[in-house]
Amino acid sequence: MTLYSCCLILLLFTWNTAAYGPNQRAQKKGDIILGGLFPIHFGVAAKDQDLKSRPESVECIRYNFRGFRWLQAMIFAIEEINSSPTLLPNMTLGYRIFDTCNTVSKALEATLSFVAQNKIDSLNLDEFCNCSEHIPSTIAVVGATGSGISTAVANLLGLFYIPQVSYASSSRLLSNKNQFKSFLRTIPNDEHQATAMADIIEYFRWNWVGTIAADDDYGRPGIEKFREEAEERDICIDFSELISQYSDEEEIQQVVEVIQNSTARVIVVFSSGPDLEPLIKEIVRRNITGKIWLASEAWASSSLIAMPEFFRVIGSTIGFALKAGQIPGFREFLQKVHPKKSTNNGFAKEFWEETFNCYLPDGSKNSPASTSFHKGHEEGLGAGNGTAAFRPPCTGNENITSVETPYMDYTHLRISYNVYLAVYSIAHALQDIYTCTPGKGLFTNGSCADIKKVEAWQVLKHLRHLNFTNNMGEQVDFDEFGDLVGNYSIINWHLSPEDGSVVFEEVGHYNVYAKKGERLFINENKILWSGFSKEVPFSNCSRDCLPGTRKGIIEGEPTCCFECVDCPDGEYSDETDASACDKCPEDYWSNENHTSCIPKQIEFLSWTEPFGIALTLFAVLGIFLTSFVLGVFTKFRNTPIVKATNRELSYLLLFSLLCCFSSSLFFIGEPQNWTCRLRQPAFGISFVLCISCILVKTNRVLLVFEAKIPTSLHRKWWGLNLQFLLVFLCTFVQIVICVIWLYTAPPSSYRNHELEDEIIFITCHEGSLMALGFLIGYTCLLAAICFFFAFKSRKLPENFNEAKFITFSMLIFFIVWISFIPAYASTYGKFVSAVEVIAILAASFGLLACIFFNKVYIILFKPSRNTIEEVRCSTAAHAFKVAARATLRRSNVSRKRSNSLGGSTGSTPSSSISSKSNHEDPFPLPASAERQRQQQRGCKQKVSFGSGTVTLSLSFEEPQKNAMANRNAKRRNSLEAQNSDDSLMRHRALLPLQ
């Protein structure tokens, strides 16, 4: 068994040495060994393994200056710790560092050496073999760079619980502790970076982008997270492609075709520099410009891409960079590198040759290839490409500071500082083990690990509970997923005016600790688009929808491709690219451009508008005319015309007309609750009072003229008190209707938004249309009764009841209010009030003009007709007409009876009734004087009928005449008609009523 084990150990070391050799690793002994994995080269040479002979290890090509600087950062940190009197005193850290050549296969080859050494140590073969070159187990590994490489390494190291602290692997998949048990990192995971990319696109109001991702564990998860964030922000992805540094030319051509044909100007790229380089070269060859590149941290400062000859294509790049750190003394340490002095660093020789484009004679390369290296910023990746030309020998006296390479670009230390922090994290975990107090440890029963025999899993335990302060004063502690939360700097690629190189200008930052919405800060003034422009490029599927419009969906297109649709009336949008229009508040309406809401126009029948002014003037005119008539009637109250028209009722009628005209004013102006409740009752009661007065007047005179000989009882019931009682009763019914209406459903002011969208009509809500119908209906009922009596009394003496004029006024009243009903029902808004005002004024003017204007005309302009003789003559004529008709009817009846008795069939001559004076005046007067005397003292009327003619001559005495004149007048006025009947005497007996 012992012999077998020794042979196995010898075999492993022989294989390990053959695989790498002394120049393919950086190695130093120590009490505790740390492993390191760095990409000293960008890739491996393609070689066809036909297996005709034993396969050889593939050759690494394209030197990476940045990778060598990262390696130097690890060595510097270890040496700094070894020289520290407080950190791990009396302990020495060693290292074993290998080149991954940026490939999984080389990284696993190096990882196997760590695992194999640990397994050999676990066999505890020291008592059987005395190996003077024995190297202790690797208790932790720093690396690797790419997420895909770290994923493979973590799977292998996790089997043995060897802690792995990566400085550049940011894939969010590595946060899965179920799969990657021993993985930790000093770089934030890509989840925050993908969110930050989406925030930048949203900040610049882009919504139409393309995505490109490396086909590995870094690119795929990163772009997947970005898609999730983009979907939440309504960002549409036009295309999504995968790339790799190993993609063949045809695949690269297809991706370039997609980019060239896409309308998306912004391209989000989750990739490393080596994977993206073939694509960028083809894009440069085709000269595809005008694209904005949004770079992930892995290539945002890569020297493979940030080259002056590529700038015209990718000069608009905005990328993410890790927060820069400070490493005191690191600059001097970098300058001290020399192949002869760096005996523990097997990569120094190749670095020297690549830097100065020469070869060291004692090197293993007899004819090394010349190299043309690329310039870049601190985090840019430098590379060397071999050519067929031979290099001159190196003198060893070259000055490292005289050559500009990415190795010496230490102005912004990002990945280098992460390497430095990873080493210190492991050192502080070992320090916790070193200073552990028994009983307070992290292991069973509070026990502590032995620092001299520490194992990898024990270091992993302390790393998970690590908490220390770094050299910049920041707390370092890994979360439950083994991650450190950090912030990002946002950089923009500029072309240096000094030497034409690409420089990275910091234009903002992203703070993952801030609240959502406050994490991103960008200084737009520092950004140069395409290297010179300040105008933000446009990368939307559709042009922005201006305020006043909204985005409309186009069928079959992504949501980011839309058409702009105007906001409908009553809705607005005050922002660009509004997804929907907002409804205006109830009292507001959209302006003409639909960009804001303005107060709705308020409409009502205003005092100040022309229509309202006109109606007001007509109402005032009606009030003035009614007042004028009332004044005339008051002044001439003792004249026969005024007396003959029932003076007291006329006053009440004029007062009611004043109320009618005044009630119309309640319909003008902004409706208030009190005006709404007052206007309809005022209008209804005023008109009922008016119609009641006319009805009582007409009915009274009609009863007088149609009654038989009046008695004292008639005079009593036809007195003034009964007239006012009838008016009050008729009006009281209307008052009861109004009180019930106001109690059960009172009208109120109402803001109507429904009639017209942009106008608020302030109207009166009547409360109950049925009550309004009863109010108008009752008024019309009284008017109909009044019309009936007026029509029936149309042939009475005009001085008594003006029947024809009242009939005409009632016709006007009916026409107005019958027309009012359809007009009221078909109008809206302020015109409802206007229609009712017009109806009130028309009806009021009709009543006023028809009933009173003819009397005012006689009183003022025809005073000769305003006499007692005119009034009585008219009455007597009416009485005689009635008597004559009765006499003729009786005469005709008598003749028919006599003819039937005598058998006579001849025609009957017409009768003639004549009333003459028995005594002629002995002193006849001239004709003109006689007519004047007749006007003063009497009148003569001749009435003709179809069957005869009757002539009536009457005279009237004055109270102040002497008795003799009275007797002579009586003798002259004796009636000589022989066939007069009692009806004449009854009508004459009624004369004193007036």
Side-chain angles (χ1 to χ4, degrees):
M1 179 62 183
T2 302
L3 180 61
Y4 174 76
S5 299
C6 290
C7 292
L8 178 61
I9 293 170
L10 180 61
L11 178 62
L12 286 172
F13 272 93
T14 302
W15 173 80
N16 193 46
T17 303
Y20 283 90
N23 295 329
Q24 293 180 319
R25 72 177 69 182
Q27 180 172 298
K28 183 179 180 181
K29 294 181 179 181
D31 299 322
I32 299 175
I33 300 297
L34 304 183
L37 297 173
F38 294 93
I40 308 302
H41 295 84
F42 281 115
V44 295
K47 188 176 182 180
D48 185 18
Q49 300 285 359
D50 56 7
L51 300 180
K52 292 182 179 179
S53 59
R54 183 176 181 177
E56 297 179 358
S57 179
V58 292
E59 181 184 1
C60 297
I61 58 173
R62 304 174 63 196
Y63 194 80
N64 183 3
F65 289 97
R66 288 180 68 206
F68 184 72
R69 173 157 47 85
W70 300 339
L71 180 148
Q72 289 286 82
M74 180 176 177
I75 296 176
F76 174 79
I78 291 175
E79 292 185 359
E80 192 176 59
I81 292 169
N82 288 338
S83 60
S84 172
T86 58
L87 189 59
L88 295 177
N90 303 320
M91 297 290 296
T92 302
L93 295 180
Y95 53 83
R96 283 200 299 161
I97 303 173
F98 296 97
D99 180 13
T100 63
C101 298
N102 204 37
T103 60
V104 173
S105 59
K106 284 293 184 180
L108 287 178
E109 187 177 354
T111 305
L112 282 173
S113 68
F114 302 143
V115 174
Q117 182 63 48
N118 285 22
K119 291 304 294 181
I120 293 173
D121 288 348
S122 66
L123 296 177
N124 195 17
L125 299 177
D126 290 345
E127 56 181 297
F128 302 102
C129 297
N130 184 14
C131 302
S132 59
E133 296 297 326
H134 173 63
I135 299 176
S137 299
T138 302
I139 53 96
V141 175
V142 177
T145 307
S147 296
I149 297 174
S150 288
T151 299
V153 172
N155 281 320
L156 184 56
L157 294 179
L159 294 175
F160 305 98
Y161 292 93
I162 300 175
Q164 174 189 356
V165 184
S166 176
Y167 49 85
S169 300
S170 56
S171 173
R172 60 180 183 145
L173 296 180
L174 292 167
S175 296
N176 186 352
K177 294 299 104 178
N178 292 325
Q179 184 176 0
F180 308 105
K181 302 178 180 63
S182 61
F183 180 84
L184 303 98
R185 52 186 163 190
T186 56
I187 185 174
N189 68 45
D190 289 331
E191 188 163 348
H192 298 295
Q193 187 176 187
T195 303
M197 284 182 167
D199 286 345
I200 286 180
I201 293 174
E202 186 179 33
Y203 176 86
F204 288 112
R205 303 181 66 84
W206 297 325
N207 64 12
W208 190 238
V209 302
T211 63
I212 296 175
D215 192 9
D216 56 21
D217 289 337
Y218 170 72
R220 288 191 301 268
I223 213 65
E224 180 183 350
K225 175 62 177 177
F226 170 78
R227 287 195 195 116
E228 295 174 2
E229 296 291 334
E231 186 175 353
E232 292 180 3
R233 294 165 174 79
D234 293 328
I235 300 170
C236 299
I237 298 176
D238 184 27
F239 64 88
S240 186
E241 300 292 333
L242 296 176
I243 59 173
S244 172
Q245 62 176 318
Y246 303 112
S247 298
D248 56 34
E249 185 177 352
E250 184 178 353
E251 292 174 340
I252 296 297
Q253 295 281 355
Q254 291 177 354
V255 175
V256 174
E257 287 287 343
V258 171
I259 295 173
Q260 190 170 14
N261 296 329
S262 174
T263 58
R265 295 189 63 187
V266 176
I267 302 175
V268 180
V269 182
F270 255 97
S271 174
S272 63
D275 288 325
L276 184 61
E277 185 186 19
L279 178 67
I280 295 299
K281 285 182 176 179
E282 180 61 24
I283 292 175
V284 171
R285 189 185 69 82
R286 295 196 184 192
N287 196 28
I288 301 175
T289 59
K291 301 295 183 181
I292 298 100
W293 300 83
L294 194 54
S296 64
E297 177 275 330
W299 73 275
S301 54
S302 171
S303 61
L304 285 177
I305 311 300
M307 300 175 65
E309 54 266 34
F310 295 167
F311 190 80
R312 72 177 188 276
V313 170
I314 55 174
S316 297
T317 298
I318 293 180
F320 290 88
L322 300 175
K323 183 179 178 181
Q326 298 177 1
I327 307 177
F330 186 52
R331 176 181 179 181
E332 293 76 12
F333 178 80
L334 292 178
Q335 295 175 354
K336 291 179 182 179
V337 65
H338 195 278
K340 296 181 179 179
K341 296 179 181 179
S342 304
T343 56
N344 296 321
N345 191 342
F347 301 103
K349 177 179 179 295
E350 185 178 3
F351 164 75
W352 198 266
E353 293 175 341
E354 295 293 337
T355 300
F356 298 105
N357 197 22
C358 62
Y359 75 94
L360 293 172
D362 58 341
S364 59
K365 295 182 181 179
N366 295 327
S367 58
S370 64
T371 303
S372 62
F373 53 85
H374 305 290
K375 299 177 183 179
H377 198 264
E378 180 273 328
E379 301 304 324
L381 296 176
N385 293 329
T387 63
F390 289 96
R391 295 173 174 175
C394 300
T395 63
N397 297 322
E398 292 84 359
N399 185 4
I400 193 68
T401 59
S402 63
V403 181
E404 185 178 354
T405 64
Y407 171 78
M408 291 300 297
D409 191 359
Y410 46 79
T411 54
H412 296 284
L413 300 177
R414 294 185 172 94
I415 299 297
S416 298
Y417 183 77
N418 286 352
V419 174
Y420 181 80
L421 190 61
V423 175
Y424 265 87
S425 298
I426 299 171
H428 277 279
L430 293 172
Q431 177 71 11
D432 291 342
I433 295 174
Y434 180 79
T435 60
C436 178
T437 302
K440 296 182 180 181
L442 300 177
F443 304 102
T444 306
N445 298 324
S447 60
C448 299
D450 186 359
I451 189 63
K452 295 182 179 180
K453 297 182 179 180
V454 66
E455 297 184 34
W457 65 271
Q458 293 172 326
V459 178
L460 177 61
K461 177 69 172 178
H462 277 270
L463 279 171
R464 290 178 178 177
H465 293 81
L466 183 66
N467 191 340
F468 73 99
T469 303
N470 61 14
N471 66 324
M472 296 179 64
E474 300 172 342
Q475 287 297 119
V476 178
D477 59 329
F478 297 100
D479 60 19
E480 57 182 325
F481 304 108
D483 300 333
L484 287 182
V485 180
N487 300 325
Y488 292 98
S489 296
I490 300 173
I491 59 174
N492 179 224
W493 289 13
H494 291 186
L495 202 61
S496 174
E498 298 175 358
D499 56 4
S501 63
V502 177
V503 296
F504 309 114
E505 180 73 22
E506 186 170 337
V507 296
H509 59 80
Y510 188 82
N511 184 3
V512 298
Y513 297 100
K515 294 187 297 184
K516 189 174 182 180
E518 300 178 359
R519 298 173 181 173
L520 179 67
F521 169 77
I522 293 180
N523 187 352
E524 292 189 50
N525 295 325
K526 291 185 176 182
I527 299 178
L528 293 178
W529 305 101
S530 300
F532 60 88
S533 176
K534 289 285 187 179
E535 183 180 357
V536 178
F538 180 82
S539 184
N540 292 20
C541 183
S542 302
R543 284 287 172 183
D544 294 343
C545 288
L546 299 177
T549 62
R550 64 171 179 84
K551 295 187 289 187
I553 298 175
I554 301 177
E555 188 175 355
E557 296 290 337
T559 56
C560 298
C561 301
F562 50 81
E563 58 183 353
C564 296
V565 181
D566 291 336
C567 291
D569 292 337
E571 298 183 9
Y572 75 101
S573 66
D574 56 359
E575 59 183 13
T576 304
D577 273 350
S579 299
C581 299
D582 299 321
K583 290 186 70 68
C584 290
E586 187 179 23
D587 291 344
Y588 289 81
W589 192 251
S590 56
N591 61 1
E592 184 178 357
N593 298 325
H594 300 279
T595 56
S596 63
C597 289
I598 57 177
K600 287 184 178 180
Q601 181 180 348
I602 304 295
E603 279 206 5
F604 53 85
L605 190 58
S606 172
W607 298 100
T608 57
E609 64 176 290
F611 198 28
I613 294 174
L615 293 176
T616 302
L617 291 177
F618 276 108
V620 173
L621 177 63
I623 294 172
F624 171 76
L625 292 177
T626 306
S627 301
F628 176 75
V629 172
L630 182 59
V632 171
F633 266 56
T634 303
K635 182 177 180 180
F636 297 94
R637 59 185 176 277
N638 294 321
T639 60
I641 288 292
V642 176
K643 287 182 177 180
T645 56
N646 199 332
R647 180 173 51 194
E648 289 74 11
L649 280 181
S650 295
Y651 292 158
L652 187 59
L653 177 59
L654 288 170
F655 172 74
S656 66
L657 285 174
L658 280 174
C659 294
C660 290
F661 283 113
S662 300
S663 67
S664 65
L665 297 177
F666 288 114
F667 292 83
I668 304 174
E670 182 176 354
Q672 305 290 336
N673 286 336
W674 68 272
T675 57
C676 291
R677 292 168 186 170
L678 183 61
R679 66 182 192 173
Q680 296 292 7
F683 140 71
I685 294 173
S686 300
F687 266 95
V688 164
L689 179 61
C690 179
I691 301 299
S692 299
C693 292
I694 299 172
L695 176 62
V696 170
K697 276 185 59 177
T698 307
N699 185 45
R700 176 180 176 274
V701 176
L702 182 64
L703 290 175
V704 167
F705 274 93
E706 289 189 349
K708 299 186 182 291
I709 297 176
T711 64
S712 60
L713 183 63
H714 286 102
R715 291 187 178 93
K716 179 181 179 182
W717 285 106
W718 290 339
L720 194 60
N721 293 334
L722 180 60
Q723 295 175 43
F724 282 115
L725 178 62
L726 291 175
V727 171
F728 171 75
L729 291 176
C730 293
T731 307
F732 181 72
V733 174
Q734 186 78 307
I735 293 174
V736 172
I737 293 174
C738 293
V739 170
I740 295 174
W741 181 8
L742 293 177
Y743 181 76
T744 57
S748 60
S749 177
Y750 171 64
R751 299 170 72 89
N752 195 328
H753 300 265
E754 299 175 357
L755 297 178
E756 291 190 21
D757 294 329
E758 68 276 12
I759 299 176
I760 298 177
F761 290 100
I762 303 181
T763 59
C764 285
H765 187 272
E766 302 300 350
S768 172
L769 290 177
M770 181 180 295
L772 179 62
F774 274 116
L775 183 141
I776 297 177
Y778 178 68
T779 306
C780 292
L781 175 63
L782 291 181
I785 297 173
C786 185
F787 175 79
F788 170 76
F789 286 126
F791 182 79
K792 191 174 182 180
S793 61
R794 68 189 182 280
K795 295 182 180 180
L796 294 180
E798 293 181 355
N799 289 329
F800 277 88
N801 200 32
E802 316 85 41
K804 293 180 182 179
F805 295 104
I806 291 178
T807 304
F808 187 67
S809 68
M810 290 299 104
L811 285 175
I812 293 175
F813 185 87
F814 276 116
I815 292 172
V816 167
W817 290 107
I818 290 174
S819 302
F820 165 77
I821 295 174
Y824 185 87
S826 60
T827 55
Y828 61 89
K830 65 181 181 181
F831 299 106
V832 174
S833 298
V835 166
E836 193 160 357
V837 171
I838 292 172
I840 293 172
L841 293 178
S844 301
F845 275 113
L847 292 173
L848 179 64
C850 293
I851 296 176
F852 291 101
F853 281 5
N854 62 328
K855 293 179 174 56
V856 173
Y857 175 76
I858 292 173
I859 293 171
L860 296 179
F861 302 106
K862 298 290 183 178
S864 60
R865 294 178 58 183
N866 188 12
T867 61
I868 189 67
E869 289 84 357
E870 283 290 327
V871 174
R872 290 181 176 179
C873 183
S874 175
T875 305
H878 177 75
F880 188 78
K881 288 179 184 179
V882 174
R885 288 193 190 97
T887 302
L888 289 176
R889 282 196 301 270
R890 289 188 178 186
S891 176
N892 290 334
V893 171
S894 299
R895 282 195 299 272
K896 288 180 181 179
R897 289 178 180 177
S898 63
N899 289 336
S900 61
L901 292 175
S904 176
T905 59
S907 62
T908 303
S910 60
S911 299
S912 178
I913 301 176
S914 177
S915 176
K916 296 181 180 179
S917 176
N918 292 330
H919 304 279
E920 295 183 359
D921 194 342
F923 303 100
L925 295 174
S928 60
E930 181 65 22
R931 284 195 301 271
Q932 182 178 3
R933 190 183 70 170
Q934 288 180 359
Q935 291 176 358
Q936 292 175 352
R937 303 187 60 189
C939 63
K940 179 180 286 187
Q941 295 288 340
K942 180 181 286 187
V943 184
S944 298
F945 301 96
S947 58
T949 301
V950 178
T951 301
L952 175 66
S953 179
L954 298 173
S955 65
F956 310 99
E957 71 272 12
E958 297 295 335
Q960 66 270 23
K961 301 294 183 178
N962 54 37
M964 184 61 70
N966 289 339
R967 286 194 296 270
N968 292 335
K970 290 179 180 178
R971 284 196 299 268
R972 285 196 299 268
N973 287 299
S974 60
L975 184 62
E976 296 179 356
Q978 297 178 356
N979 297 323
S980 63
D981 55 8
D982 294 338
S983 63
L984 175 60
M985 300 305 298
R986 285 195 297 270
H987 287 85
R988 292 179 63 186
L990 289 172
L991 292 178
L993 290 173
Q994 298 298 326

